[in-house]
Amino acid sequence: PTSANPVDVLIVGGGIGGLSAAFALAREGLRVRVLEQAREFGEVGAGLQIAPNCTRILHDYGLLEEAKGLGVLPKSMVMRDAVDGSELTRLDLGDLEREYGFPYMVIHRSDLHGIFLRACRRAGVDLVTDAHVTGYENTPSGARVLLEDGRADRARVVIAADGLHSVARRLLVEDEPVSSAYVAYRAAVPIEQAGRDVDLSEVSVHVGPRCHFVHYGLRGGEMLNQVAVFQSPKALAGEEDWGTPDELDAAFTATCPDVRAGIPLMWRDRWWRMFDRDPITTWVDGNIALLGDAAHPPLQYMAQGAVMAIEDGWVLAGHVAARRAEDGSVDWRGALAAYEAVRPEHCRRVVETARAWGELWHLDGVARLQRNALLRARDTYDYSFTAWIYGPTALTPEEEPPMFTPIPLDSADVSGVPEPAGT
Ligand code: FAD
């Protein structure tokens, strides 16, 4: 990067958050540069669920058809008990699409990342790799970033989309990622290797004591994506070396045959320890703003982490568009303030709900039975718990729908339900 070729916006981090924001701003006619530390742009990991609040934005960007061509539109999302395998509740995703106007999709991470990368190229975003940002500072006319190799770059505004371990976040808060003591194993394998009958028309979630297991199809059903998540006893004991494959095997021994059949397929050479951070309400420091996981890393139980990052860029670009004068100049102070007025509160709700959701999924004993009774009583077509997330992304606090308030567990009548053995 050279200051000889100045841009309006510098974006640090070329993950899904950074690239989608770069595209959104370039689409409004701004000159945008992305600085990515890696040697190449890419995504590790496997599948990603993208709910209607994300596919609505992809549609607005003109990218939904491309995504549909690469992803899968499952017919239903089914939650089952991981111990006895019984169904607890389901979403009819065809009806959900009618309700919200846009589909619920599952897609390979690298495919979604690739869609944004190509869109950025087409929109003329300057995409720079091998650029590790180590420092940020506001200047009278914008902001500057310092790179590890001694270079510097500047722009009117800097957006830090540098993920869970964000350097820029330190401008706003001195906090650390919060360990949940849970770890995720992933696998994306050709469907022939599934070793069992899998209904790829479903996104399936088995919830169990201190563990859960997710699977769904990818790439038009050619691949099976699996995620196995469990609480690590070694993490709870304070050991450094936690989340190892022996713990994976032990965590799922008491689960139903369908779940156990999936465990041997999990990748065993890498795993993802699950961290989030406590929500913060300030994301903007002068001409520097946080976006995506840098601002609001969640536990993944709501499947909204990447979705929130994409929403952030869409909201910011919306406010930029509304504050662009005829000569092309932008009232950045107003745009950043409008962004900060709406996104932190929405993301706080999601981050905190994801924590609560994780607790609900991982219950044991009587609480598990109470949860199961409540979920079984839920009407498939009752959308009261999804409306605040899957509806149109709010541009202002006034547009933000009221949050769903969960029903207390102890309202479930489980008298007469026997406690199953083994839990
Ligand atoms: P990141 O993807 O972390 O990207 C940050 C980028 O910044 C990286 O490219 C990094 O190399 C670069 N970078 C970092 N520091 C610097 C630096 N100093 N200088 C330059 N570049 C830098 N979300 C969903 O929406 N749906 C799901 O189904 C879902 N499932 C998930 C399952 C699991 C197991 C996990 C772990 C997460 C899941 N998520 C899901 C969450 C989602 O993956 C993240 O929220 C999302 O990827 C965050 O994107 P981001 O661009 O903000 O950050």
Side-chain angles (χ1 to χ4, degrees), residues 122 229 387:
R122 287 194 301 269
V229 176

Side-chain angles (χ1 to χ4, degrees), residues 27-67:
R27 188 171 163 257
E28 297 300 340
L30 300 183
R31 292 166 303 166
V32 182
R33 177 176 300 136
V34 178
L35 303 177
E36 165 59 45
Q37 65 183 3
R39 304 205 66 172
E40 281 175 38
F41 285 95
E43 261 280 336
V44 231
L48 207 55
Q49 304 180 42
I50 50 173
N53 53 323
C54 181
T55 53
R56 184 181 292 110
I57 292 176
L58 292 180
H59 171 77
D60 184 44
Y61 288 165
L63 302 174
L64 183 58
E65 289 311 309
E66 193 181 351

Side-chain angles (χ1 to χ4, degrees), residues 11-20 35-38 40-44 47-51 54 104 106 109 113 131-136 161-168 184-186 216 227 229 272-274 291-310 312:
I11 296 190
V12 180
I16 288 172
L19 289 186
S20 59
L35 303 177
E36 165 59 45
Q37 65 183 3
E40 281 175 38
F41 285 95
E43 261 280 336
V44 231
L48 207 55
Q49 304 180 42
I50 50 173
C54 181
Y104 197 101
V106 290
R109 272 168 193 272
H113 186 269
H132 182 193
V133 173
T134 51
Y136 294 79
D162 52 346
L164 174 68
H165 300 287
S166 172
V167 172
Y185 277 67
R186 288 161 154 164
Y216 50 82
V227 190
V229 176
W272 286 264
R273 293 170 174 179
M274 310 302 332
L291 180 143
D293 270 12
H296 48 72
L299 298 175
Q300 82 278 18
Y301 310 136
M302 301 278 290
Q304 285 279 316
V307 172
M308 284 190 285
I310 292 167
D312 289 346

Side-chain angles (χ1 to χ4, degrees), residues 18 28 36 55 79 83 219 285 330 405 421:
E28 297 300 340
E36 165 59 45
T55 53
M79 183 172 277
V83 177
R219 297 231 165 105
D285 176 48
V330 174
T405 321

Side-chain angles (χ1 to χ4, degrees), residues 323-358:
R323 287 167 183 76
R324 200 140 190 245
E326 272 190 14
D327 66 359
S329 63
V330 174
D331 165 17
W332 275 106
R333 185 188 288 266
L336 291 174
Y339 168 72
E340 196 181 38
V342 65
R343 293 304 295 161
E345 171 57 13
H346 178 83
C347 297
R348 178 194 72 75
R349 294 175 178 191
V350 175
V351 167
E352 288 182 355
T353 306
R355 286 179 177 172
W357 207 226

